[in-house]
Amino acid sequence: MATIPPPVYSVPPPLPPGWTEHMGPAGQPYYFNAQTGESTYVRPLPAFPIIPQAAAAALPATAAVAGAAAAAGTAPKKPKKEKPVVKTPIPGTEWLRVITNEGNTFYTHTGRKQSVWTVPEEIKEAVEQLEREEALKKAREAEEAAKRAEEERAKEVERIQREVHEKVSKRKAEEVMPVDEIVVSKKAKVAGEAEDDEDMGDEDDEDDEESEEEEWQREAAAQLAKEAEEEKRRQEEEKKRQEEEARKLKEAEKQKGMPQINMPERVDLSIDEAKALFKTLLREKNINPLHPWDTSLPLFVSDPRYVLLPSVSARREAFDEYCRERARELRESKVKVEKETLDPRQEFERLLKEEVKSTRTSWTEWRRQWKKDRRFYGWGRDDREREKRFREYLKELGEQKRVAALKAEKDFFALLKESGLAKPGAIWKDIKKHLVSDPRYDAVGSSSLREELFNTYIKAGASDASAQSPAPSNASELPSGQAPVEDEEEKERRRRERKERAVREREEKVRAERSKVEADIDRSKLGLTKEEGELEFRTMLTDAIRDPQVSWETVQPQLQKDPRFVNSPLPLNQQLHLFHAHVNALRVKHLANLHALFASNAPALNTPFTALPVASLLSSLPATKLGYNVEDLEREYDKWQRERWTEARAAFDQMLGENSFVEFWGRLGKMDAKGVNVSIKNEDLGDDEEEEQVDMKALAKNVDLKEMIKVLKNDKRYLVFDHVPEQREQWLRDYLSQLSAPTLSVHVPEK
């Protein structure tokens, strides 16, 4: 009877080399590669074929057998090499399904000689159809085998019953023994006793035979009943199995007749669709866009949508895009709410109050610092309106500070009066010790200003005393009731006048000093504004003017639309100077590009203008920008060639000056032998022959121009004049003629 193969249980594939498994803080396993430093929550797959599941399931049994063999003292057998056993062609394809002797299955392509452990996508439907046909075939074979087994079992039961009956009848026949075979070995008994004994013996034999027969029959009946019960249980199991196979067969036939609906194990999505689903996952989990990848990963790694993207790098890229988009959305929503709830004018005023603390603050500097702040650009049509409000606020701030300073001075005078210590002859250092704890003392911000106010108050008190000194002499002439009252009123009036006069003098002095300081500030601001204006004007020219052929008159209407030109603090002559410098820079730039085109098309110095691709050069960007026609282009080419010739000629002279061979022999040829020993020994030249004197001047005459040309001919600066060899040789002769004889030095020979 055919048996159903046992189910195959899946085991995780082994990790690739270099990967290790670890457990995270939340109990989530993750994998780390020590070589690349990469970590992931998704189990990495190996690059080599994975061990099939059946073989993996058989490993524990193999290990157990090996352990048992070792315990018994026998060496385990060497496992057999895995070989293909059954090859089944897949209908309609060039693929074969191969089953090995270990029960593993792989697929091979006969044309490409390719083998894979998994079912390829191109033959998945054909393999499923083949498996369904094989399942139907196995079901039919199992049903036929079950019928044959039932018939064989029935025949076996009949045979057993027949053999039992034969044995019973045979045993009964064997129990009747002949008389002549009985041997009597006992002595003769008395006749009566012999008869009794014989009767009893016959009865006992009959009882024993009957009991043995009954016992054997009971054993046979019990065995037959047990076999019948087992047969009944087996038939019930077989019936259930046949019913299950029949149900599966009907379902397979039904599916075969109905249109097939293939439910794939996974849905193949495009990268954009998978990225969109991944971002939807992040939005559902409400991932904070300010948190890094490692912090946010445990929040969504267990979701099935995490594995829609094929790699960790793709997931991180989608995560970064989500963070940027989400942060932008949150920022825009916040700005929208603020715009709806806040007044732009009030925000601008609040910015002025919080950040502008001094009347010396420059608009350009303050604008550069706050131009990207929403409170700055949220109000006003343009910078002109914001600057106007800024100037007005500076005036208001100056007025507030002036009023506060006047109030502080008045409060300080009142403090001196109330203290009663400010008398003529008093010293400020002694008086201020008693006033330092009063807040009106700190209201005057400068110590020098406090001392100056104290001196003013003392002077005002001294003038009051001098004016009041003649009062007692006139008091006797006045009526007795009126004199004191009038004196007191007059004193009070004069005191007030003196105070007011002192305050006015102080205000005038402070105003003069302040105007002087403000003039200095304005002069410094003017220099700074001029420098910044020049920088902005240069930037405007770079942005607006890119044609080197424009003039100031033609470009001025375009520049007047730019606020940087309208608000420029530069005078007209400086603007013209910057404009012409910018246009000249553009022209030089395009000329350099045009010369580069000349150099690429005319490698030699003697290349004529007619040999150039004139049409291509005229249509090039530099020539178009410069507005050159054929004549202008030829004129510029001739000018460039002349400059190039001059540079090459200077390089040729430099080459001659750098060459030590030419210089040495050229100078040696100019030596005069008169009174000079210009000979060397052969041993100095490396010869082992007899010592002879060699005349260096004679050697110099042998080194002619051809020897020097052999040395120079490999230099690029020499080869560039190949088209004028006679002129080049003449230059070399002229150079040699200009050389002077070397200066000689006296050498003392060694002893």
Side-chain angles (χ1 to χ4, degrees):
M1 175 181 171
T3 58
I4 300 175
V8 179
Y9 297 95
S10 62
V11 295
L15 292 173
W19 287 90
T20 55
E21 184 176 358
H22 306 275
M23 192 65 65
Q28 180 75 18
Y30 69 96
Y31 307 90
F32 176 75
N33 192 329
Q35 298 176 356
T36 62
E38 182 183 1
S39 60
T40 177
Y41 282 93
V42 181
R43 186 182 184 92
L45 298 177
F48 50 85
I50 304 173
I51 299 177
Q53 297 173 353
L59 288 177
T62 307
V65 171
T74 59
K77 294 182 179 180
K78 185 177 181 180
K80 295 181 179 180
K81 184 178 180 181
E82 190 171 9
K83 297 180 180 179
V85 177
V86 180
K87 297 182 179 180
T88 306
I90 298 175
T93 65
E94 297 183 4
W95 289 84
L96 295 177
R97 187 187 65 185
V98 183
I99 301 176
T100 65
N101 55 351
E102 299 292 338
N104 302 324
T105 304
F106 65 92
Y107 301 87
T108 181
H109 193 279
T110 57
R112 297 196 297 263
K113 304 299 181 182
Q114 176 188 359
S115 299
V116 292
W117 287 103
T118 58
V119 181
E121 292 292 337
E122 57 181 295
I123 61 169
K124 184 175 288 186
E125 296 182 358
V127 171
E128 292 176 355
Q129 182 67 23
L130 177 62
E131 290 177 352
R132 284 195 296 269
E133 293 177 357
E134 289 181 348
L136 293 175
K137 184 177 180 181
K138 286 183 180 180
R140 295 192 190 96
E141 292 178 354
E143 188 175 355
E144 294 175 359
K147 291 180 181 179
R148 289 196 299 270
E150 186 66 26
E151 293 175 357
E152 291 177 358
R153 185 174 292 278
K155 291 179 181 179
E156 185 69 16
V157 170
E158 292 178 0
R159 185 182 63 78
I160 292 174
Q161 291 178 354
R162 188 169 56 254
E163 288 180 356
V164 168
H165 287 297
E166 290 177 357
K167 287 183 179 180
V168 169
S169 58
K170 184 177 179 181
R171 188 165 184 173
K172 287 182 178 180
E174 289 177 353
E175 287 177 356
V176 180
M177 296 181 63
V179 179
D180 54 1
E181 291 182 1
I182 298 175
V183 178
V184 179
S185 60
K186 295 183 179 180
K187 294 181 179 181
K189 295 182 178 180
V190 183
E193 294 178 355
E195 290 178 358
D196 295 338
D197 292 338
E198 185 177 354
D199 294 337
M200 291 176 65
D202 293 340
E203 292 177 359
D204 293 339
D205 292 339
E206 291 177 358
D207 293 339
D208 292 340
E209 290 175 359
E210 290 178 359
S211 61
E212 289 179 359
E213 184 177 355
E214 290 176 358
E215 184 178 358
W216 183 84
Q217 289 179 355
R218 283 196 298 271
E219 291 178 357
Q223 183 177 1
L224 290 174
K226 184 177 180 182
E227 292 180 355
E229 186 176 352
E230 291 179 355
E231 180 64 20
K232 185 178 180 181
R233 186 169 60 254
R234 188 193 62 78
Q235 289 178 357
E236 290 177 355
E237 293 177 356
E238 185 67 22
K239 186 177 180 181
K240 290 181 181 179
R241 187 184 63 77
Q242 291 177 359
E243 290 176 356
E244 183 68 21
E245 291 180 354
R247 184 180 63 79
K248 291 182 179 180
L249 184 62
K250 289 180 180 179
E251 290 179 356
E253 291 177 353
K254 187 176 180 181
Q255 291 179 358
K256 185 176 181 180
M258 294 175 63
Q260 296 287 331
I261 301 178
N262 295 326
M263 298 298 293
E265 297 180 358
R266 58 171 293 177
V267 180
D268 294 330
L269 300 174
S270 66
I271 296 296
D272 295 336
E273 293 173 343
K275 186 181 291 186
L277 291 175
F278 187 78
K279 291 181 180 178
T280 305
L281 163 64
L282 298 178
R283 287 184 178 272
E284 291 179 0
K285 299 294 183 179
N286 196 18
I287 302 301
N288 192 335
L290 302 180
H291 288 178
W293 166 264
D294 297 332
T295 305
S296 305
L297 183 60
L299 301 178
F300 57 85
V301 69
S302 58
D303 195 285
R305 287 170 289 184
Y306 174 80
V307 297
L308 292 178
L309 290 172
S311 63
V312 178
S313 60
R315 299 184 194 112
R316 295 201 66 165
E317 183 180 356
F319 178 81
D320 294 339
E321 291 181 5
Y322 161 79
C323 290
R324 289 193 294 270
E325 295 172 0
R326 185 60 178 161
R328 189 183 305 111
E329 292 175 2
L330 294 177
R331 186 168 57 252
E332 290 176 355
S333 62
K334 183 178 179 181
V335 170
K336 185 177 180 182
V337 171
E338 290 179 352
K339 284 184 178 180
E340 294 175 355
T341 56
L342 300 177
D343 185 9
R345 177 62 182 265
Q346 294 179 359
E347 290 296 309
F348 188 79
E349 294 291 337
R350 187 178 295 110
L351 178 63
L352 289 173
K353 292 178 181 179
E354 292 177 357
E355 302 301 334
V356 181
K357 301 297 184 182
S358 174
T359 55
R360 302 180 183 180
T361 306
S362 170
W363 160 254
T364 307
E365 181 181 355
W366 189 74
R367 174 184 173 276
R368 186 188 301 113
Q369 183 179 1
W370 297 100
K371 64 181 180 181
K372 295 184 180 180
D373 194 287
R374 184 189 55 79
R375 296 174 295 174
F376 177 84
Y377 63 77
W379 176 80
R381 294 187 300 273
D382 53 7
D383 284 349
R384 189 178 303 175
E385 184 175 358
R386 287 188 280 268
E387 184 179 2
K388 181 180 178 182
R389 177 64 193 123
F390 176 81
R391 303 294 183 190
E392 293 174 355
Y393 179 77
L394 288 184
K395 293 179 181 179
E396 296 174 2
L397 183 62
E399 186 64 24
Q400 293 173 5
K401 289 189 174 184
R402 189 184 65 80
V403 172
L406 292 176
K407 185 177 181 301
E409 291 178 2
K410 290 180 180 180
D411 293 342
F412 188 76
F413 286 141
L415 172 62
L416 293 176
K417 182 179 179 181
E418 292 174 3
S419 64
L421 301 174
K423 297 178 180 180
I427 301 175
W428 169 244
K429 292 182 180 180
D430 299 332
I431 298 300
K432 71 178 183 180
K433 297 178 181 178
H434 304 282
L435 305 177
V436 70
S437 59
D438 196 292
R440 290 174 291 182
Y441 176 87
D442 294 328
V444 181
S446 174
S447 59
S448 60
L449 182 57
R450 295 190 197 101
E451 186 175 0
E452 188 175 350
L453 293 175
F454 174 77
N455 295 331
T456 304
Y457 183 81
I458 293 297
K459 291 178 182 179
S463 61
D464 287 345
S466 63
Q468 293 173 6
S469 57
S473 61
N474 298 331
S476 59
E477 300 176 0
L478 294 174
S480 60
Q482 268 185 343
V485 176
E486 291 179 0
D487 291 341
E488 291 295 332
E489 292 178 356
E490 186 67 19
K491 290 178 183 178
E492 186 65 27
R493 184 181 61 80
R494 291 176 180 175
R495 189 181 297 110
R496 284 197 303 269
E497 289 178 356
R498 284 192 296 271
K499 286 184 180 179
E500 291 175 0
R501 186 168 56 252
V503 170
R504 283 195 300 272
E505 291 176 358
R506 174 60 189 164
E507 288 179 354
E508 291 176 359
K509 187 176 181 180
V510 170
R511 192 178 296 110
E513 293 179 356
R514 183 173 295 173
S515 62
K516 184 179 179 181
V517 172
E518 288 179 355
D520 295 339
I521 294 173
D522 292 338
R523 282 194 295 271
S524 63
K525 284 183 178 179
L526 182 61
L528 181 62
T529 306
K530 187 175 181 181
E531 182 180 354
E532 292 177 351
E534 183 177 348
L535 180 61
E536 285 194 358
F537 196 83
R538 289 179 183 274
T539 307
M540 178 202 65
L541 292 176
T542 304
D543 296 339
I545 301 175
R546 300 182 181 179
D547 188 2
Q549 302 182 52
V550 297
S551 62
W552 175 256
E553 290 76 12
T554 58
V555 81
Q556 195 170 5
Q558 178 187 354
L559 297 179
Q560 288 177 352
K561 299 178 182 179
D562 197 315
R564 292 175 291 183
F565 179 79
V566 177
N567 301 327
S568 177
L570 302 179
L572 180 60
N573 57 351
Q574 190 172 1
Q575 291 180 358
L576 285 171
H577 174 72
L578 293 176
F579 170 77
H580 291 304
H582 176 71
V583 171
N584 290 335
L586 289 177
R587 184 175 180 82
V588 169
K589 174 184 174 183
H590 291 302
L591 282 176
N593 295 335
L594 183 62
H595 293 169
L597 292 176
F598 287 159
S600 62
N601 291 284
L605 290 176
N606 61 336
T607 304
F609 180 75
T610 55
L612 299 179
V614 180
S616 176
L617 292 175
L618 285 175
S619 61
S620 63
L621 180 62
T624 306
K625 287 290 184 180
L626 294 170
Y628 279 177
N629 53 22
V630 178
E631 296 177 357
D632 297 335
L633 192 64
E634 184 176 4
R635 191 181 304 110
E636 184 63 31
Y637 178 75
D638 294 340
K639 178 182 176 183
W640 174 74
Q641 281 286 58
R642 288 193 298 272
E643 295 175 354
R644 190 181 178 194
W645 178 279
T646 304
E647 294 175 358
R649 182 68 179 86
F652 184 83
D653 292 339
Q654 183 182 2
M655 173 196 66
L656 295 178
E658 293 174 355
N659 195 289
S660 58
F661 180 84
V662 175
E663 183 177 4
F664 175 78
W665 291 107
R667 289 182 181 276
L668 193 61
K670 294 295 186 69
M671 288 180 61
D672 189 4
K674 188 189 221 179
V676 178
N677 183 11
V678 286
S679 61
I680 60 174
K681 297 180 179 180
N682 276 342
E683 62 180 3
D684 296 336
L685 298 176
D687 297 335
D688 295 334
E689 300 175 357
E690 296 181 358
E691 294 183 1
E692 295 180 359
Q693 297 292 332
V694 179
D695 189 1
M696 294 297 294
K697 188 173 181 180
L699 286 176
K701 290 182 179 180
N702 293 332
V703 178
D704 57 357
L705 202 63
K706 294 181 180 180
E707 298 295 333
M708 296 182 182
I709 291 175
K710 289 180 181 179
V711 175
L712 297 174
K713 67 179 181 180
N714 295 325
D715 198 303
K716 184 178 180 181
R717 294 170 290 184
Y718 180 85
L719 297 175
V720 76
F721 291 104
D722 284 346
H723 60 287
V724 284
E726 298 84 3
Q727 191 173 359
R728 181 177 58 187
E729 184 176 346
Q730 184 61 38
W731 292 339
L732 182 56
R733 294 182 184 277
D734 294 343
Y735 176 78
L736 294 175
S737 64
Q738 294 174 2
L739 293 177
S740 59
T743 57
L744 300 176
S745 59
V746 180
H747 299 277
V748 179
E750 297 180 358
K751 294 181 180 180

